[in-house]
Coordinates of all heavy atoms in Angstrom, one line a residue:
A28 N -148.1 217.9 91.6 CA -148.5 217.0 92.7 C -148.8 217.8 93.9 O -148.1 218.8 94.2 CB -147.5 215.9 93.0
I32 N -147.4 214.6 99.4 CA -146.3 214.4 98.4 C -145.1 213.8 99.0 O -144.3 213.2 98.2 CB -146.0 215.7 97.8 CG1 -145.5 216.7 98.9 CG2 -147.1 216.3 97.0 CD1 -145.0 218.1 98.3
R75 N -137.8 215.8 86.9 CA -138.5 216.2 88.1 C -138.0 217.6 88.5 O -136.8 217.9 88.5 CB -138.2 215.2 89.3 CG -138.9 215.4 90.6 CD -138.9 214.2 91.5 NE -137.6 213.6 91.5 CZ -136.5 214.0 92.3 NH1 -136.8 215.0 93.1 NH2 -135.4 213.4 92.3
G76 N -138.9 218.5 88.9 CA -138.6 219.8 89.3 C -137.8 219.8 90.6 O -138.0 219.0 91.5
N77 N -136.9 220.8 90.7 CA -136.1 220.9 91.9 C -136.8 221.6 93.1 O -136.7 221.3 94.2 CB -134.8 221.6 91.6 CG -133.9 220.9 90.8 OD1 -133.9 219.6 90.8 ND2 -133.0 221.6 90.0
T78 N -137.6 222.7 92.8 CA -138.2 223.5 93.8 C -139.8 223.3 93.9 O -140.3 223.7 94.9 CB -138.0 225.0 93.5 OG1 -138.5 225.3 92.2 CG2 -136.4 225.2 93.5
K79 N -140.3 222.6 93.0 CA -141.7 222.4 93.0 C -142.0 220.9 92.9 O -141.2 220.1 92.3 CB -142.5 223.1 91.9 CG -142.4 224.6 92.0 CD -143.2 225.3 90.9 CE -143.3 226.8 91.1 NZ -144.1 227.5 90.1
N80 N -143.2 220.5 93.3 CA -143.6 219.1 93.3 C -144.2 218.8 91.9 O -145.4 218.6 91.8 CB -144.5 218.8 94.4 CG -143.9 219.0 95.8 OD1 -142.8 218.4 96.1 ND2 -144.5 219.8 96.6
T81 N -143.2 218.8 90.9 CA -143.7 218.6 89.5 C -142.8 217.6 88.8 O -141.7 217.3 89.2 CB -143.6 219.9 88.8 OG1 -142.3 220.4 88.9 CG2 -144.6 221.0 89.3
V82 N -143.4 217.0 87.8 CA -142.6 216.1 86.9 C -143.0 216.5 85.5 O -144.1 216.9 85.2 CB -142.9 214.6 87.2 CG1 -144.4 214.3 86.9 CG2 -142.0 213.7 86.4
Y83 N -142.0 216.5 84.6 CA -142.2 217.0 83.3 C -141.9 215.8 82.3 O -141.2 214.9 82.6 CB -141.2 218.1 83.0 CG -141.3 219.3 83.9 CD1 -140.4 219.4 84.9 CD2 -142.3 220.2 83.7 CE1 -140.5 220.5 85.8 CE2 -142.4 221.3 84.6 CZ -141.5 221.4 85.6 OH -141.6 222.5 86.5

Side-chain angles (χ1 to χ4, degrees):
I32 58 176
R75 183 165 46 84
N77 290 329
T78 61
K79 294 184 177 181
N80 299 304
T81 56
V82 65
Y83 304 99

